[in-house]
Structure formats: C-alpha cells, structure tokens
Amino acid sequence: QVQVVESGGGLVQPGGSLRLSCAASGTVFGIDHVNWYRQPPGKQRELVATIDSDGGSDYSDFVKGRFTISRINADNTVYLQMNSLTPEDTAVYYCNAYVAYDRSLRILDYWGQGTQVTVSS
C-alpha cells in the first residue's frame, strides 16, 4: 500500500511564496518521476512541473522562473517552491508520483488528495 500526501498549501498575498511537499509512504521502494499538476477554479487540470529520477526538471511556461521542483530521495519527498505568486496561481495542487511499490521495482502512479493554494490580498 502506497500513500501520496501533499502539504504546504494555504493563503498567501500576491508576490509571496509557498513551498509544497509531496511525500510518499508505505511500501515504497523508490520514486521514479513526479509531476505537479494544478486545477484552477472552473478550469481543467494542468501540468505545472516534472522531476525525473535523476533530478532533471521541466516546467510549464506559466511558472518558469518562479517555481522550482526538487526532491530528496532518502525521504521519498518532492517539493515545489513557488515564488512571486499571483492570483492566477490560485488552484488545487496535486502530486502525481510514479512509485516502485515492490522489491521487483514495478511502478505504478499514485495521486495525492490535493492541497489548496489561494493567492489573494
């Protein structure tokens, strides 16, 4: 059994920062790549950032230069540092982790429940 849990969301003023965490627990034998998605109110879910098993990262254009994705493999945790936030970043943020769930290192993808980020003055 694998659980993926996001944390770190909240209310922040425009221009502020938040750091989201995505932690995998349970029968985790490693994490391959991880995606952060978000779903703004009334809109479809969109990809924000990706980090691969070697730490290589990629970002959607609307967050480049403002968000940074990173990982600590020993902790089975991925972070999303969000700076210079604007009201347009308001959304529920979801972690989608590809996790090796057994000793054969078979991989399945898991989703967290989401964490709300609200940017407002």
Side-chain angles (χ1 to χ4, degrees):
Q1 195 92 2
V2 172
Q3 298 81 39
V4 171
V5 178
E6 305 97 334
S7 61
L11 174 64
V12 64
Q13 292 188 339
S17 299
L18 282 175
R19 189 178 78 159
L20 305 184
S21 300
C22 170
S25 62
T27 55
V28 178
F29 290 83
I31 299 178
D32 192 75
H33 64 282
V34 176
N35 305 310
W36 279 101
Y37 286 84
R38 71 184 186 185
Q39 187 163 16
K43 297 184 179 180
Q44 291 188 337
R45 193 171 296 189
E46 57 191 8
L47 180 64
V48 176
T50 296
I51 189 164
D52 65 25
S53 57
D54 295 326
S57 58
D58 196 14
Y59 301 89
S60 293
D61 287 344
F62 50 80
V63 303
K64 277 183 181 176
R66 300 188 300 124
F67 290 13
T68 302
I69 190 170
S70 62
R71 62 190 293 161
I72 298 180
N73 291 333
D75 294 341
N76 293 325
T77 302
V78 170
Y79 299 96
L80 185 68
Q81 177 67 42
M82 307 187 297
N83 299 327
S84 302
L85 287 162
T86 73
E88 288 68 38
D89 295 313
T90 295
V92 179
Y93 283 72
Y94 297 92
C95 176
N96 171 223
Y98 286 73
V99 178
Y101 62 94
D102 65 11
R103 297 184 187 280
S104 298
L105 302 183
R106 290 179 291 187
I107 292 175
L108 284 177
D109 73 304
Y110 297 85
W111 289 83
Q113 81 289 347
T115 185
Q116 176 70 47
V117 171
T118 303
V119 185
S120 175
S121 55

